[in-house]
Every structure is written in structure tokens, then in C-alpha cells.
Amino acid sequence: MIPAQYNAQDVEQKWYAYWMQHDYFTSKPDHRTPYTIVIPPPNVTGVLHMGHMLNNTIQDVLIRRARLKGFNACWVPGTDHASIATEAKVVAKLKSEGIQKNDLTREEFLKHAWDWTDKYGGTILEQLKQLGCSCDWSRTKFTMDPDMSASVIRSFVDLYRKGLIYRGYRMVNWDPEAKTTLSDEEVIYEERQGKLYHLRYAIEGTQDYVTIATTRPETILGDTAICIHPEDERYQHLRGKKAIVPICNRVIPIIFDDYVDPEFGTGCLKVTPAHDVNDKELGERHHLEIIDILNEDASLNSFGLHYAGKDRFVVREAIAVELEAIGALVKTENHLNKVGTSERTKAVIEPRLSDQWFLRMDELVKPAIKAVLETEEVKLYPSRFNNTYRHWLENIRDWNISRQLWWGQQIPAYYYGDGKEDFVVAESKEEALVLAQEKTGNAALTIDQLTQDADALDTWFSSWLWPMAVFGGIMNPESNDFKYYYPTNDLVTGPDILFFWVARMIIAGYEYADAKPFTNVYLTGLVRDKQGRKMSKSLGNSPEPLELIERFGADGVRVGLLLSASAGNDILFDEELCQQGKAFANKIWNAFRLIKGWEVATIAQPESSRAAIAWYEAKLQHTLVAIEDNFDKYRISDALMAIYKLFWDDFCSWFLEMIKPGYQQPIDQMTFDKAIELLETNLKLLHPFMPFLTEEIWQYIKTRTPEEALIIAQWPTSVAYDTSLVDDFEFAKEVISGVRTMRKDKNIPFKDVLELKVVNKEGSSSFFDSVIAKLTNVSSITYGNEKVEGALSYRVKSNEYFIPVTSAIDVAAEIDKLTAELTYTQGFLKSVQAKLSNEKFVSGAPEKVIEMERKKEADALAKIATLEASLAGLK
């Protein structure tokens, strides 16, 4: 028995278990052409959110379609160790237990981190299964797996030996909350309202002073010079003089450098080399002292004097009060300032001098620029993101790849002495010992005398290898898997990581495999609420994905998301979309139940059914062309909408009505078999979008072996079709609609048989006359050249259709109605023609407006002719 209602929850669990049991998701190299996707690895301890739902639904649509098209489909899942986010969570957990990270050894901390990962890791992958994602779970990777980490370490060593990785003392972006450096790309600049403080610095040995302006008065405690433009006439008398920093009373030189803009502010600049990148360059040119006043958590250190141990922002307020008290604060102004913040922790970034590891990018980036912007070996969808890509890569800076974290791949540099250059880089400590002995000439050097660099590598430095490393391409580039699956085909991700991840994967692909990592990059938009706001827990506008699946079914949610998801455009998510998806699932289920509920008999096939089948086969092929074109252009939403309309409008509203047997009458075997065949074809098209429902119906249609499951069926093949059938039926639809409108307007019941007489000026085909007759209950359709007197009439294009009046129609009332409509239309025509005869209007109005008015005129004239003909026929 086929259930009356579709129960999504039972069906989803049943078929996912069935698919897993029969290894449909598993891929191994064979004779087939591979189709490969690697998942953008979510944070290992993350949970499913709406962005994941959209991104992974699109990937699953692509992979399921490829499987149906006969490709060896391989979708590699996995997770990312997310060093900053995960370490922050572990540190917070330890803190709640009264444990400080600094009280632990690295090994002890990593044990806690692994325990956390083992406890919470992988949850998101299990959640993806509920969405229906058909990943090859046997290939699941984690960026901290031994083989993945080995790939990262090998890459570092290789790049170092090529001279591309170097250690440098640089001004870096410091996140005081995560206590690590960030790359330039991980810094988000925000406009914030702050203050501009004007401060007096006394000139040593005089009663004179200079005034400088700063947004950060707390940093005066790190000032080591005042700088003035060498041609600024106002301050020439200060050459050779020194200034005194307020509060700390440090005597500092007054230097002259053309870096200073004499037109900006007072023309005097405080120089704090430890806390500003431009000041650092000035300091190097003028050999200034460097005084770092901040601890790693952005509290002040001993150079902060009586403010030591206090947070920078607390000190900012307090020091302004003190400066005012001693007469050093001239004035304070409101000031809009661009402030760098951490993408991860949202903390305000501090420029900080530090020894860090960098990767030279100027040469590495060239093949990646060429691949996207010149040869188009890699295509971005939508292509407007090419401009963003160009901006990032043409302005690229060396990549700071070291992080002051413990969770992640530890930098494979080993120190054998106290000097900054007393190190070697190697894949293992044993190899490092050999290199260190060679470098020092000290054969007695022992492994215990080597100390590994404490920093970890940037998470992106592991994930940029992802498409290669998951197939062993770094450790074993000759492996069967790597040679078979790489390059991959499609990447689906968000534009927010176009540079962080996508561009870097392209760079790594050309560096290590001399090949692109993928061919197409589909960039999804952000999922926003229906008011256009970004979804967040604080706003309470982010629905729980698993609750949506429970309420609407996985297929309903998938359809709801995709119906509004055009590439690169943000989605205004509304739960009504999921309700629409659920309603579509019910429509499909009920259509299936309708067909299976018909009694089948060995009787002749009606002409109307023959015509219906011919039309729907042509319409399906017509739609398949559009579907394939949309997929080729990564218009996944448009592809779904084409299938949606094909099933809902063409299959259900038209085809099934055309072949449906009369009340308590059987359907002929030939038509029934064809209806099932066409339903199966529809299910194949729908399967990538609605895998659970379609597999359920597919298996209900008849008993199938595992080899006959829908998931591995064959995608419909495009074949030549008669386009005139599609066009002619569009015409026939209007004819049917005309009769139905007449019945409705004249209150003629459907059971009353009518006649239809046609003046066929269009030369339209009579192929669908049997369908027209069935759907309108017309006993006969006859063609002639003369209008029919005493008949109702309507037009389709230039064809005239006449329905002889029956006793059921009140002729007098009909004449009154048509006369009123004629009078109104004539008045409307008069107003339009008045406009068109007005020379001022015609000469001043846009061409489109004039075209619209002319169309109104033509339509009114045609309607008047029809109304007059109808009246003539009734009189």
C-alpha cells in the first residue's frame, strides 16, 4: 500500500542507510571519467548553519547529477582544525576549570585540545548526512591527520629550501585576544567614532613647546622622536633640539623627514616605532630606539609606568585625564577613524614588532593570476568576482604564515644556538640534527640540544593544500588517486574566502602540481533573513537547520534554499521557501499516487493520450536543453525552477489531466506504461535536488535490485525533438483556456457538451484537437471560413472560435454585458489615440512609452473587433 501522506523523517533515515549500505557514495579509480569535488572543510568542532546548508546542498546537487551522468563521482568530506577558533575554545574551557594555558606544557595543552576535538569534532559531518549529502565518507580527512600534517610540513620545508620562506623581524598584526599574529587578509577595517587628542611636548631647555595630535595617547609612553618635514619653515628653529615626552619625561630627538605632511594637523608627528608600521620605517632610517609598551594581551608593561598591567583602552581614558591635569592636553576632538579588527575574535588589532615566518608571494602568485584572468583555465561564477580576485592578487604582500598558537602544525625549524640564524629547517628532528651538525661542523651536537620553533603555522597554510593533500598529492604525487582525481572539477564556496582559500589553492596547485586545482569555482551568496540582515544568534534570526529539516523534510529545505539561490547573490531566507519546498514534495507524491491509483485495462489508446505523450516528450526534451544550459552556467536555481515548472505545470496540470481516464473508467496499458516511464524520467531530473522523495517513489514504482536504485540510474539523454509540438500546444492551451473562460463567464457546467467552430486564419495544427475536445468537453471541432451567427466567440491570435449558443445562455443578458464592455473599450481606445495624435507627447515621450501606447491601441482595436463580432452573432 502506498501511504496517503509522505513521511519525510522515516523515508530519509531509510534511504540514507540503504545508500550507505550499498556503498553508492564510495569512489575508487576505474575506467570512468572522474568528477571530483572537495568539500570546503568546516571547523572541526563547528555545527551546521544556514550557510553550510546552502553550500553543501549545491555540492550534493552537482555530485548526484554527475553520478547519474555516469561519471565516477567523488566528493571528499573533511574538517579543518581552525587553530585560532579551536584554541580559543579550549583555553576558555580550561579557564572555566581553573587551569591557565601558561601553566601547561605544549604536550599537556595539546592533549586537552585533542580531547576537545574528539568530543565535539565531526558533529557537523553527521549533520550533513541528515541533509542528504552523498560524500565518500571513507575518504573523510581532517587537516591535522598525520598524512595531512606531513604534507604541510613537507610544503614548508620545500618552500624554505627554494628561498621562498624566510624569518623576519617585522611589524605584524597582533590579535591580543587570541595572542597571535594575523595575516593582512584576516584584518577587517571598521569605521569607529573615536577622539583626536592634541598634546604638548616641551622643548628641552626652553619655554617653547610643539603640539602633536594622536588618536592613541597611551602610546606616548613609547615615543622616541618628534618628526617634522625638512622644508617646514615654522619649525626650522627646532633643528638639533630635543623634546620631552609628557608623564614619562623621556628626552627624545626632533628629527626631520619628508614623510611628514606639513599640511596635516600641526605638521609635527610623534614617532612610536614599536606601535606603528610607518613609525617603524622612520625609526630604521633615523636609528631610533624602539620601546614596546604593550604585553601580548594589550595591557601595558613596565614601560607603562604606573599604568602597568592595565588594559590599553582603560589607560587611554586615564592618561587623558592625567595629561589634562598637568597641562599637556590642549584639546580633544571627535574623530572618525578606521580601526583594524580581528576577523576571528573581533578584537582591535595592535601593530607589533615580532620575529615571524613569511612566504614570498610575488613570483608564486603569477600563475594564479594568469589562470583566472588570462587563460581562464579556472573560471569564477559569477565572473564579476574576477575584479575582486585581480585586486587581491595584484596587490599581494608576503604572507605571514606563523601563529603564536599551539594547536596546529608546529613550524619545522630547529634551533641549536641562541642566535637568530642558529636554526635549520627539516621534516623531522632526526633530519634536523644531521643538518645542524653539518651547518655547525659540530658532530657532537645531540638531538636534545635542538629546540623546535614554538609557533604553529597559519591554518590556511594547511588548507591551501587541501585538493592535493586529500589524494596524497604532496607526499606521493605519483599515487593512483592523485593522478586520477586531480585536478578536481568544481569548488563551491563563499566569496568571503576567495583570497584566503581559493586563490591560495590555485597558487599551491601550480607550484606543486603545475596544474589548476579545479576548473570551476561557484561562489554562493550569504544567507540573510527576509529583512536582508546577516543571520546571527544575537539577532535571533538564524533558524536551527536540523529543526527546519524536521519540520519540512530535507528535500523541502533543499528546494526552499535553492529556489532563491542565484550564484554570488545573497539569499533572503524565509521559512515560507521551505514550506514551498515541502508543498512541492507533496505535489510529486500525490501525482505518483494518482497514477498508481488508476485501473489499467487492455483497451485502445485514445487519440488524446497519443497527442499528450508526443507533446510531453517534446516538452521534456525542450526543458532538458534549458536545464543543461543552466547547469553549464552554474545557474543551479534556474535549473531547479525549470524542473519545478516542468513537473508542476506541464506534468501535473496538463499531461496528467490530458491522459486521466474518465470517472470510474480504466486507463489503457500503453498510456499507463508511458506515464510511468515519463514519471521516472522526471524523478531522475529531480533526484539531485530531492534525493529522498525521488528514491522512495522510484522504489515504490516496482521492485528494484540495488543495481537499479535511482541514485545510480542514468540521467536523461538529450535527443532531437519536434519543436512544433511545443509551440502548437502553447496555442492549444489558449484555445482550451478560451472555452473554459466561456464556461465560467456564462455559467455553463462542464457536463454540458459544446461544439467549437474555427475560422483558422493562423493555419494552426489540428494535432491537439482531441486534447482540446477532452479538456473542454467539446463534442466536435470543425473548421470553416465563415463566421457563425448566434454564437459566443473569442480570438486566439487571428483565429476566431465560435461556440453556438445553447438554451442555457441568457442571450439578452449576454448582449448587455458585451455592449457595456464594447463601450468601455471604445472609450479606452479614444484616450489612447488622443495621446498618439498629440505631437507634443509623441516628440517628448521615450520610444518605449510610445511603443507601449501603440500596443494598447492595437490590442483595443482587436478586442473591439471581437466584441462586435460576438454581438453580431447574438443579434
Side-chain angles (χ1 to χ4, degrees):
M1 291 291 294
I2 301 168
Q5 301 293 325
Y6 174 66
N7 187 324
Q9 286 183 307
D10 291 347
V11 167
E12 287 162 12
Q13 292 173 8
K14 175 177 69 177
W15 291 116
Y16 204 90
Y18 181 84
W19 295 329
M20 291 285 285
Q21 177 190 348
H22 293 288
D23 285 334
Y24 296 125
F25 307 160
T26 305
S27 175
K28 293 177 182 175
D30 61 22
H31 64 281
R32 292 174 295 169
T33 302
Y35 174 85
T36 315
I37 295 179
V38 292
I39 199 170
N43 290 3
V44 64
T45 57
V47 292
L48 202 62
H49 59 60
M50 296 304 292
H52 293 132
M53 294 273 278
L54 171 64
N55 183 288
N56 287 282
T57 294
I58 292 169
Q59 290 177 79
D60 196 48
V61 168
L62 294 174
I63 209 78
R64 285 181 182 273
R65 175 172 172 266
R67 199 177 283 123
L68 289 169
K69 288 177 82 75
F71 291 98
N72 187 350
C74 180
W75 183 11
V76 180
T79 51
D80 185 88
H81 64 276
S83 54
I84 294 177
T86 304
E87 183 152 326
K89 287 180 180 177
V90 176
V91 168
K93 172 186 172 289
L94 292 172
K95 196 172 183 180
S96 70
E97 297 169 358
I99 303 170
Q100 297 297 320
K101 176 187 172 185
N102 293 341
D103 295 335
L104 300 175
T105 64
R106 188 187 198 104
E107 289 69 29
E108 288 169 339
F109 177 82
L110 288 177
K111 185 180 184 307
H112 284 287
W114 277 110
D115 288 345
W116 174 273
T117 301
D118 292 341
K119 183 176 181 180
Y120 297 103
T123 298
I124 192 167
L125 299 184
E126 291 303 311
Q127 292 173 329
L128 289 177
K129 293 177 182 178
Q130 294 182 55
L131 185 61
C133 294
S134 56
C135 303
D136 183 349
W137 300 108
S138 67
R139 292 183 176 274
T140 303
K141 288 292 185 182
F142 174 43
T143 51
M144 288 278 281
D145 284 344
D147 60 325
M148 300 294 282
S149 287
S151 297
V152 174
I153 298 304
R154 177 161 293 183
S155 170
F156 183 98
V157 173
D158 173 69
L159 293 167
Y160 175 79
R161 289 175 180 169
K162 290 173 178 173
L164 296 173
I165 286 179
Y166 63 93
R167 186 162 169 77
Y169 188 62
R170 298 281 189 278
M171 184 70 74
V172 295
N173 305 302
W174 182 260
D175 181 338
E177 188 169 320
K179 299 183 179 63
T180 182
T181 58
L182 301 177
S183 66
D184 293 335
E185 295 75 32
E186 291 168 299
V187 179
I188 308 299
Y189 287 91
E190 302 174 356
E191 281 199 340
R192 292 190 180 183
Q193 188 65 53
K195 292 180 179 178
L196 191 62
Y197 302 83
H198 294 258
L199 309 179
R200 271 183 185 165
Y201 287 62
I203 305 302
E204 187 185 36
T206 73
Q207 296 300 309
D208 203 0
Y209 61 85
V210 291
T211 301
I212 61 94
T214 180
T215 58
R216 306 183 61 199
E218 71 278 8
T219 62
I220 67 170
L221 303 175
D223 287 356
T224 56
I226 297 289
C227 190
I228 296 166
H229 193 279
E231 296 177 9
D232 194 331
E233 294 297 330
R234 294 171 295 175
Y235 302 110
Q236 293 302 313
H237 65 288
L238 296 180
R239 283 186 180 273
K241 303 284 187 179
K242 293 186 177 180
I244 301 171
V245 180
I247 299 177
C248 68
N249 297 317
R250 181 183 304 118
V251 177
I252 58 174
I254 296 174
I255 62 173
F256 289 79
D257 194 291
D258 57 13
Y259 166 74
V260 180
D261 179 1
E263 302 299 320
F264 183 77
T266 63
C268 297
L269 178 75
K270 67 189 279 299
V271 184
T272 319
H275 297 288
D276 183 273
V277 65
N278 297 311
D279 289 8
K280 177 181 176 288
E281 292 178 9
L282 278 172
E284 288 174 349
R285 281 202 297 275
H286 295 273
H287 311 290
L288 299 178
E289 184 181 3
I290 295 172
I291 299 174
D292 186 348
I293 67 165
L294 296 177
N295 296 313
E296 63 176 12
D297 64 353
S299 63
L300 271 66
N301 58 26
S302 59
F303 285 106
L305 305 177
H306 46 286
Y307 296 112
K310 294 182 179 178
D311 181 76
R312 56 187 164 160
F313 297 123
V314 172
V315 176
R316 184 170 301 173
E317 298 296 325
I319 205 168
V321 173
E322 183 176 358
L323 288 165
E324 185 174 23
I326 64 175
L329 179 62
V330 179
K331 63 177 179 177
T332 304
E333 300 173 318
N334 287 330
H335 181 70
L336 196 62
N337 196 24
K338 272 199 170 181
V339 178
T341 60
S342 168
E343 183 201 33
R344 292 286 184 187
T345 67
K346 312 305 177 191
V348 174
I349 294 302
E350 282 291 341
R352 193 180 194 204
L353 283 167
S354 179
D355 282 310
Q356 301 291 335
W357 294 89
F358 295 87
L359 175 59
R360 298 183 203 280
M361 300 300 293
D362 53 350
E363 291 299 320
L364 279 175
V365 77
K366 288 179 180 177
I369 292 174
K370 183 179 179 182
V372 174
L373 303 174
E374 296 174 23
T375 64
E376 294 189 341
E377 274 193 291
V378 179
K379 292 185 178 180
L380 306 184
Y381 293 89
S383 60
R384 70 171 186 269
F385 284 107
N386 283 7
N387 291 330
T388 307
Y389 185 90
R390 180 188 300 278
H391 173 76
W392 277 111
L393 268 63
E394 290 184 351
N395 295 281
I396 201 165
R397 296 169 66 180
D398 287 357
W399 178 8
N400 173 8
I401 57 173
S402 49
R403 297 290 180 271
Q404 289 61 58
L405 301 167
W406 284 349
W407 179 242
Q409 287 88 13
Q410 192 173 355
I411 288 176
Y414 298 85
Y415 297 87
Y416 52 79
D418 296 330
K420 283 192 175 182
E421 300 302 318
D422 293 347
F423 68 85
V424 293
V425 170
E427 291 186 42
S428 67
K429 204 168 187 179
E430 290 72 23
E431 183 189 357
L433 177 61
V434 174
L435 293 174
Q437 288 171 340
E438 291 174 359
K439 189 173 178 180
T440 61
N442 179 9
L445 193 68
T446 67
I447 204 163
D448 293 335
Q449 292 174 285
L450 298 181
T451 303
Q452 189 171 354
D453 193 300
D455 288 354
L457 285 159
D458 180 9
T459 303
W460 296 110
F461 192 81
S462 63
S463 54
W464 80 322
L465 304 175
W466 184 251
M468 293 180 285
V470 295
F471 297 117
I474 301 296
M475 301 306 292
N476 183 13
E478 295 303 312
S479 69
N480 287 338
D481 270 12
F482 185 62
K483 291 169 79 172
Y484 181 75
Y485 291 112
Y486 189 92
T488 68
N489 295 77
D490 295 327
L491 178 75
V492 182
T493 190
D496 53 325
I497 54 174
L498 177 58
F499 178 80
F500 288 124
W501 191 46
V502 179
R504 286 169 174 166
M505 283 189 288
I506 297 171
I507 292 168
Y510 284 104
E511 175 63 17
Y512 285 107
D514 194 27
K516 61 188 178 185
F518 29 70
T519 300
N520 305 296
V521 181
Y522 179 101
L523 297 159
T524 66
L526 284 173
V527 183
R528 298 182 180 275
D529 69 12
K530 57 185 176 183
Q531 297 176 43
R533 299 175 302 175
K534 190 172 181 180
M535 287 189 170
S536 69
K537 288 183 180 177
S538 61
L539 287 174
N541 64 346
S542 182
E544 171 54 51
L546 297 186
E547 288 179 9
L548 291 177
I549 291 174
E550 190 174 332
R551 288 167 58 201
F552 302 109
D555 291 333
V557 175
R558 288 164 69 115
V559 168
L561 276 168
L562 289 176
L563 280 177
S564 59
S566 56
N569 294 325
D570 290 351
I571 295 172
L572 300 184
F573 179 77
D574 187 341
E575 287 188 10
E576 282 301 311
L577 294 167
C578 296
Q579 184 59 51
Q580 184 180 351
K582 182 178 181 179
F584 186 41
N586 288 334
K587 183 77 171 179
I588 297 165
W589 182 256
N590 290 333
F592 161 61
R593 288 183 66 246
L594 174 69
I595 297 169
K596 290 293 279 186
W598 290 334
E599 180 189 347
V600 184
T602 306
I603 55 177
Q605 184 182 47
E607 181 58 37
S608 57
S609 293
R610 258 196 303 275
I613 291 165
W615 163 72
Y616 190 76
E617 286 180 327
K619 182 66 176 181
L620 194 150
Q621 284 298 323
H622 178 77
T623 307
L624 185 57
V625 171
I627 292 167
E628 298 288 17
D629 181 61
N630 284 322
F631 269 113
D632 289 344
K633 294 172 180 173
Y634 292 83
R635 294 174 178 166
I636 312 299
S637 176
D638 292 344
L640 172 58
M641 184 51 75
I643 299 167
Y644 184 99
K645 289 179 177 177
L646 176 72
F647 194 90
W648 192 297
D649 298 341
D650 300 315
F651 188 74
C652 295
S653 298
W654 286 105
F655 177 71
L656 294 184
E657 290 300 311
M658 290 152 75
I659 66 167
K660 185 169 68 175
Y663 180 64
Q664 292 188 337
Q665 298 295 310
I667 189 172
D668 68 279
Q669 186 73 52
M670 190 178 295
T671 300
F672 178 81
D673 291 345
K674 202 67 183 178
I676 291 293
E677 179 190 319
L678 292 170
L679 172 64
E680 289 181 334
T681 304
N682 287 332
L683 293 177
K684 292 173 184 178
L685 294 173
L686 284 162
H687 179 75
F689 300 95
M690 308 178 80
F692 296 109
L693 169 73
T694 52
E695 188 74 74
E696 173 81 347
I697 295 174
W698 180 267
Q699 300 284 351
Y700 256 121
I701 289 172
K702 65 179 181 181
T703 303
R704 317 251 189 190
T705 66
E707 292 72 33
E708 296 171 322
L710 176 57
I711 189 174
I712 52 169
Q714 186 178 346
W715 181 260
T717 305
S718 291
V719 296
Y721 67 97
D722 186 349
T723 56
S724 67
L725 286 171
V726 177
D727 297 334
D728 289 349
F729 189 65
E730 290 303 307
F731 193 92
K733 282 182 186 177
E734 293 190 54
V735 176
I736 293 165
S737 178
V739 178
R740 286 173 171 173
T741 299
M742 282 293 180
R743 282 188 178 276
K744 182 182 175 185
D745 290 349
K746 317 307 177 201
N747 294 315
I748 306 171
F750 185 79
K751 62 182 176 62
D752 291 0
V753 181
L754 301 175
E755 292 178 50
L756 189 63
K757 299 184 182 295
V758 188
V759 176
N760 191 7
K761 295 177 182 176
E762 285 285 325
S764 59
S765 169
S766 61
F767 183 77
F768 292 109
D769 281 5
S770 58
V771 172
I772 295 169
K774 177 177 180 178
L775 295 184
T776 60
N777 195 16
V778 167
S779 61
S780 65
I781 301 174
T782 56
Y783 292 81
N785 298 317
E786 300 297 326
K787 294 180 180 181
V788 180
E789 301 297 327
L792 301 171
S793 66
Y794 66 93
R795 283 175 179 264
V796 177
K797 295 186 179 176
S798 61
N799 271 16
E800 291 182 89
Y801 293 84
F802 298 91
I803 300 171
V805 176
T806 67
S807 58
I809 298 173
D810 184 339
V811 175
E814 186 61 24
I815 289 172
D816 288 344
K817 182 179 174 183
L818 290 174
T819 302
E821 193 173 353
L822 177 62
T823 302
Y824 170 81
T825 308
Q826 286 170 333
F828 176 77
L829 175 64
K830 190 175 180 181
S831 67
V832 172
Q833 289 177 332
K835 272 188 187 179
L836 290 172
S837 61
N838 185 330
E839 287 185 18
K840 190 174 180 181
F841 171 76
V842 173
S843 61
E847 185 61 35
K848 281 187 178 179
V849 172
I850 295 169
E851 280 178 27
M852 197 179 298
E853 293 300 318
R854 284 178 179 151
K855 185 177 185 305
K856 288 179 185 177
E857 180 186 37
D859 290 346
L861 286 167
K863 189 172 183 180
I864 287 168
T866 302
L867 290 168
E868 287 175 340
S870 295
L871 281 166
L874 290 171
K875 290 177 180 177

